[in-house]
């Protein structure tokens, strides 16, 4: 299937392609081995996110605590349960 690029670097995706991937307003664009890869991205609007948080009964304090926990975990990773044997240098 062909799609022609306009003078403004715009493409119109064929209807059959859009029907195959579903309606999307935004696409993640990347290049790989000389190909252009378009991946549909569903962006959730702020109202949808707030509605989901309300549905889960999460408060701003819950979110702040979760962010603090995640940042603390990333900053101080857990140590391995078993010590690693020291590197030994052998002479030939």
């Amino acid at each position: 299937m062909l799609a022609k690029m306009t003078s403004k670097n715009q493409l119109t995706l064929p209807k059959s392609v859009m029907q195959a991937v579903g309606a999307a307003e935004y696409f993640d664009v990347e290049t790989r081995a000389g190909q252009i890869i378009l991946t549909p991205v569903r962006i959730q609007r702020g109202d949808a996110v707030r509605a989901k948080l309300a549905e889960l009964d999460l408060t701003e304090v819950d979110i702040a605590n979760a962010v603090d926990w995640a940042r603390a975990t990333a900053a101080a990773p857990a140590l391995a349960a078993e010590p690693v044997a020291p590197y030994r240098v052998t002479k030939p």
Side-chain angles (χ1 to χ4, degrees), residues 59-71:
T59 66
E60 288 184 30
V61 173
D62 295 326
I63 303 302
N65 289 341
V67 169
D68 290 343
W69 174 85
R71 288 180 177 161

Side-chain angles (χ1 to χ4, degrees), residues 49-88:
V49 173
R50 282 187 280 284
K52 186 65 173 179
L53 293 175
E55 178 184 321
L56 296 172
D57 198 27
L58 295 174
T59 66
E60 288 184 30
V61 173
D62 295 326
I63 303 302
N65 289 341
V67 169
D68 290 343
W69 174 85
R71 288 180 177 161
T73 303
L79 298 175
E82 299 180 75
V84 177
Y87 181 75
R88 295 184 183 168

Side-chain angles (χ1 to χ4, degrees), residues 1-4 11-21:
M1 196 172 318
L2 290 177
K4 182 180 178 187
L11 290 173
T12 299
L13 299 176
K15 186 176 182 178
S16 61
V17 170
M18 293 308 300
Q19 288 174 336
V21 299

Side-chain angles (χ1 to χ4, degrees), residues 1 4 6 8 13 15 20 22 24 32 43 47 52-53 71 76 81 86 89-91:
M1 196 172 318
K4 182 180 178 187
T6 69
K8 295 182 180 183
L13 299 176
K15 186 176 182 178
R32 192 180 315 145
I43 297 183
D47 291 339
K52 186 65 173 179
L53 293 175
R71 288 180 177 161
V89 177
T90 58
K91 295 182 180 179

